[in-house]
Amino acid sequence: CVFKTETAVSAFQQYQGLSDRKKIAPGQGMLFLFKDAADRVFVMRRMHFPLDIIFIRNHRVINLYHNLPPEGKKPTISYHSGGSADAVLEIPAGQAYACRLGVGSEISW
């Protein structure tokens, strides 16, 4: 599968992510690139659509979550990388399954 992604590199871009957007098209996403590998925690703050979140280290999937429900301004659920991640990919819900992504899958950009 190929996704057209926006890249989140700055702290502001990474905090904002896809929050406050009304929709995301199939085949689109956001790629978060970090300067180091560390434990990462993501939330579905101010989201309006479900997502799949994929945690990556050295271009390999280390953990992923499917069909995460949107949350409001004060999210109560946190999604952890489960290890050191240097990138995170957010894509429309169901796309990770459709692309047969799992732990160990290679992701390139």
Side-chain angles (χ1 to χ4, degrees):
C1 290
V2 175
F3 292 91
K4 181 179 179 181
T5 61
E6 293 178 50
T7 305
V9 179
S10 74
F12 175 78
Q13 291 170 325
Q14 292 171 348
Y15 179 82
Q16 180 66 24
L18 293 169
S19 296
D20 300 321
R21 297 189 190 193
K22 298 301 178 197
K23 62 183 179 176
I24 188 172
Q28 291 187 332
M30 182 167 279
L31 179 64
F32 298 76
L33 298 175
F34 300 97
K35 294 177 183 174
D36 62 348
D39 289 333
R40 307 285 176 202
V41 179
F42 274 53
V43 295
M44 294 290 287
R45 178 187 315 103
R46 299 187 332 263
M47 292 299 301
H48 296 279
F49 47 86
L51 289 174
D52 293 344
I53 297 180
I54 303 159
F55 293 93
I56 302 161
R57 169 91 189 252
N58 296 328
H59 294 276
R60 295 271 178 198
V61 175
I62 62 167
N63 198 7
L64 67 162
Y65 295 89
H66 301 277
N67 201 26
L68 302 180
E71 290 199 73
K73 292 180 182 180
K74 296 180 181 180
T76 59
I77 303 170
S78 298
Y79 303 97
H80 298 262
S81 59
S84 294
D86 56 18
V88 176
L89 178 62
E90 292 183 342
I91 55 178
Q95 295 295 291
Y97 277 129
C99 294
R100 298 183 178 164
L101 295 175
V103 172
S105 294
E106 185 174 357
I107 306 284
S108 59
W109 55 86

